[in-house]
Amino acid sequence: MLYLLLTSLVSGAFARAPAGPWDAFNYAPASRNVSPATILSSTGNVSGIPSDLIYTSNTAFTFSGVNSSVVFDFGKEIGGVLSFSVTDAAESAAIGLTFTESALFISPDFSDNSCKSNFVRVEGRQIHAAPVPSGTITQTIGQQRGGFRYLTMISNSNATVTVSDIVLELTFMPQFQDDLRAYTGYFSTSDPIFGDQDFLTKLWYAGAYTVQTNTIDVDEARSGDCSGGWSNDANGGISSGTVLVDATDESPGDMGISSHTELFIQNVWENYTFALSFLQSQVDSTGLMNVPQSFSNDWGRDGGVGHNSAANALLYRNLVTSAALAEALNNSDLAAGYSANATAVKAAYNELLWDEPAGLFRDNDTTTLHPQDGNSLAVIYNVTASRSQDVAISEGLTAFWTPIGSLSPELNDTIIPFVGGFELRAHFVAGQGERALDLMRSQWGYMLTTNLSVQSTLLEGFTANGSLGYRAAAGYSNDFSYTSHSHGWSTGPTPALTFHVVGLTLTSPQGATWSIAPIPSGLDSAEGGFETGLGWFGVKWNATGDDFSLIIETPEGTSGVVVVPSSNEVTVDGEPAISSLTEDGRREIKLSGGTHKVVA
């Protein structure tokens, strides 16, 4: 899914997405240099605070007295190198800085924790010690804060000091040299149910912005344990370039392989197949992989050992995709072997784990727990044996819903958008688009609107009562401030809206072949698209009563399948088209690349 996000963001040789009203919901700043939007509060003796609390660059703040402070609100998640101007500084003047994503953890003494800590806040003031020089003070790369919304500036002495021109140079997404808003993809719709009709569009852009803030220079990763203060100048594991990290204030994470990378695949193929052989060696007489304890800590969930459903769904998917890769590399024998093993895993999965009365897969063969991850992945990756299973799983997963999202049975008291993103797609695959949007509105609607969040990027997770205590008692040492507010794994709605609501997917590298199958999901219209090396792919559809129309733009020389959510006869560019009915009563046609209008 992150490939779609990265495709939508990639600049350089690709053209910018078409302009439109959706641009108003792009959270990316127009400039790499940003300043606070407002002054949130102040304590002690600080002069110069404007009556309307709107920050302007020419406003000077004079601190008089130790611990006098001002809290500045940048209005959204940001991260980078801070600078500010100092004038009229007494010799003993010193300035302290603290940072936080959530307003809940604003403090003159501590930042929120970007390193795990047992119950306590350990990341104290970043001190710019006396004598503070007149002129511009600029953080080093190591001193930069990876992700925050609120900055607290504190006088560290009784001496008087005046500060102005507070500017943060954004360091994320360094490959976007000129314009952080120059996305090559877009999405737009109007939501008739959520209180804000632009919610789904905002959510798409929140996902895209989250991935932007998680993309950093390889030499600006977090270093150390933060006990002596954070340092963000470590190497992220490769020699040069950028890395996609778990969160704006955390360590490097994982990044998938994108398209048309045959040379890359050839270079890693030996190691890749060795790793896949190891996974297959864990398959026992049941036909499923038996996960040992040492490999069971997937996303932090409980009970990942044994014939775990999620792990085996992933093994099945790896075998299927590896068969396709082997075929592309002209290794038919290896491809046939992978395909045969995938078929065996699928059969064992259904025989050993399917719970017919519940209409759900069990987590493994020794429990009655029905997991969110294993069931969602089974639908997405076609591990199910029938369409009726997909529909049953979609219905069964709603048993775990709360007013603010879907609880994950495999980790107590946890709403995890990572796995929730898989559930969204499972509902779409099962033909339950309205159910998928309902989950977006509850779970991601909470994330974007609660005053606990940064309201621009997406939370790592939260609890059933909406607190930030995600994994508080399951690895995060009851440290609510450690929960990330900009976590790439929470961006599932962005690709889901493109793949399923707009209906646009690529079925071969770069989109040489494609599929367009919109799922209206109770919406009246939607549009979106993105560009690859072959050119622009765009879809715009409208639904009025029983009538459905869409305009398709795909590169010349490509070809694809269009599935219209209607049983009506189809015309293409005003002419009757040859179509067939799918099992669920939709019309399917084949089209060559170009611009077409399809009406049903």
Side-chain angles (χ1 to χ4, degrees):
M1 293 191 296
L2 283 177
Y3 172 62
L4 179 276
L5 288 166
L6 293 167
T7 298
S8 297
L9 294 173
V10 168
S11 181
F14 292 163
R16 185 169 183 155
W22 45 85
D23 290 327
F25 310 117
N26 188 330
Y27 291 95
S31 168
R32 280 203 172 271
N33 295 319
V34 297
S35 292
T38 61
I39 294 93
L40 187 68
S41 62
S42 64
T43 60
N45 190 357
V46 183
S47 62
I49 296 176
S51 58
D52 60 3
L53 301 181
I54 303 299
Y55 176 87
T56 57
S57 60
N58 58 2
T59 302
F61 302 86
T62 299
F63 298 78
S64 303
V66 67
N67 292 328
S68 295
S69 66
V70 179
V71 179
F72 298 96
D73 180 3
F74 283 79
K76 66 182 70 174
E77 177 85 357
I78 54 168
V81 173
L82 186 73
S83 65
F84 52 92
S85 296
V86 173
T87 56
D88 302 326
E91 186 174 349
S92 59
I95 292 291
L97 307 172
T98 65
F99 304 84
T100 178
E101 292 179 305
S102 174
L104 190 64
F105 304 112
I106 293 171
S107 166
D109 300 312
F110 296 100
S111 295
D112 55 5
N113 281 339
S114 59
C115 294
K116 295 179 188 177
S117 176
N118 290 323
F119 300 95
V120 296
R121 305 271 288 281
V122 297
E123 298 179 40
R125 294 181 191 177
Q126 184 181 95
I127 306 298
H128 294 266
V132 175
S134 294
T136 300
I137 293 178
T138 302
Q139 289 179 313
T140 65
I141 290 295
Q143 289 174 325
Q144 71 173 315
R145 189 67 177 179
F148 69 97
R149 174 174 169 173
Y150 301 97
L151 161 69
T152 302
M153 187 171 285
I154 315 105
S155 172
N156 246 55
S157 75
N158 279 312
T160 299
V161 60
T162 299
V163 173
S164 61
D165 298 321
I166 301 169
V167 176
L168 187 90
E169 181 185 2
L170 303 172
T171 53
F172 57 75
M173 207 73 180
Q175 64 268 45
F176 270 43
Q177 292 296 319
D178 300 321
D179 188 353
L180 287 166
R181 297 172 61 84
Y183 294 1
T184 62
Y186 83 105
F187 171 82
S188 182
T189 192
S190 180
D191 189 338
I193 295 177
F194 199 79
D196 179 355
Q197 66 177 6
D198 298 312
F199 164 68
L200 293 172
T201 306
K202 290 177 179 177
L203 178 56
W204 192 95
Y205 280 96
Y209 185 53
T210 298
V211 172
Q212 274 191 292
T213 64
N214 286 192
T215 307
I216 65 170
D217 186 277
V218 66
D219 291 318
E220 297 182 16
R222 189 187 61 205
S223 174
D225 63 3
C226 302
S227 59
W230 66 88
S231 182
N232 288 314
D233 56 1
N235 181 267
I238 59 176
S239 59
S240 62
T242 60
V243 290
L244 182 64
V245 297
D246 288 336
T248 53
D249 57 358
E250 296 188 16
S251 55
D254 300 319
M255 187 170 177
I257 300 171
S258 59
S259 63
H260 71 285
T261 54
E262 184 174 342
L263 179 60
F264 172 80
I265 294 170
Q266 290 173 338
N267 288 338
V268 303
W269 188 242
E270 182 177 354
N271 288 337
Y272 178 89
T273 54
F274 180 81
L276 189 53
S277 294
F278 170 77
L279 293 177
Q280 293 177 95
S281 74
Q282 304 301 302
V283 175
D284 62 19
S285 60
T286 67
L288 292 181
M289 181 168 60
N290 192 355
V291 181
Q293 182 67 45
S294 56
F295 297 146
S296 65
N297 187 22
D298 182 6
W299 49 265
R301 54 157 292 167
D302 292 331
V305 298
H307 301 120
N308 176 259
S309 59
N312 279 281
L314 291 168
L315 173 62
Y316 172 79
R317 176 62 174 175
N318 277 326
L319 288 167
V320 170
T321 56
S322 296
L325 288 172
E327 197 67 57
L329 296 176
N330 298 315
N331 193 332
S332 298
D333 290 343
L334 185 61
Y338 286 152
S339 293
N341 290 346
T343 299
V345 169
K346 180 172 181 173
Y349 198 102
N350 281 274
E351 180 180 352
L352 204 63
L353 302 180
W354 180 245
D355 183 348
E356 180 64 33
L360 292 164
F361 287 106
R362 292 177 294 147
D363 201 32
N364 57 57
D365 53 343
T366 63
T367 183
T368 58
L369 184 145
H370 302 104
Q372 183 186 22
D373 58 2
N375 278 285
S376 299
L377 292 172
V379 175
I380 296 169
Y381 294 152
N382 193 32
V383 191
T384 52
S386 67
R387 179 70 173 177
S388 62
Q389 279 181 300
D390 294 343
V391 174
I393 289 170
S394 175
E395 173 65 29
L397 287 172
T398 64
F400 310 122
W401 283 17
T402 77
I404 56 171
S406 183
L407 282 169
S408 179
E410 54 268 41
L411 188 61
N412 184 50
D413 192 30
T414 301
I415 295 174
I416 176 169
F418 172 56
V419 184
F422 299 139
E423 182 179 335
L424 289 177
R425 295 198 62 199
H427 293 310
F428 279 121
V429 171
Q432 304 298 317
E434 293 186 38
R435 183 175 290 157
L437 293 192
D438 284 343
L439 184 55
M440 285 189 201
R441 293 175 184 119
S442 63
Q443 188 160 320
W444 281 265
Y446 176 75
M447 284 192 276
L448 275 184
T449 58
T450 175
N451 290 330
L452 300 180
S453 80
V454 292
Q455 300 177 336
S456 52
T457 51
L458 300 173
L459 282 166
E460 178 182 8
F462 49 101
T463 64
N465 68 1
S467 84
L468 297 177
Y470 166 75
R471 291 192 62 195
Y476 280 12
S477 304
N478 288 288
D479 182 3
F480 287 28
S481 80
Y482 181 66
T483 299
S484 166
H485 289 250
S486 185
H487 221 72
W489 77 2
S490 300
T491 58
T494 301
L497 289 166
T498 297
F499 294 158
H500 300 293
V501 172
V502 172
L504 174 60
T505 58
L506 307 183
T507 56
S508 64
Q510 297 194 77
T513 58
W514 38 264
S515 171
I516 295 172
I519 303 175
S521 311
L523 304 176
D524 294 329
S525 64
E527 63 181 286
F530 52 81
E531 187 171 17
T532 76
L534 293 181
W536 174 254
F537 296 79
V539 176
K540 181 177 182 179
W541 61 258
N542 285 274
T544 306
D546 293 332
D547 298 326
F548 190 89
S549 65
L550 68 162
I551 296 173
I552 300 167
E553 294 179 72
T554 56
E556 297 287 349
T558 67
S559 61
V561 174
V562 179
V563 181
V564 183
S566 171
S567 59
N568 296 341
E569 294 296 331
V570 176
T571 65
V572 176
D573 302 327
E575 299 293 331
I578 298 174
S579 65
S580 59
L581 274 175
T582 64
E583 289 184 6
D584 57 358
R586 296 179 294 167
R587 285 286 173 183
E588 179 179 307
I589 60 172
K590 295 180 180 180
L591 278 182
S592 58
T595 300
H596 300 286
K597 184 175 182 179
V598 178
V599 177

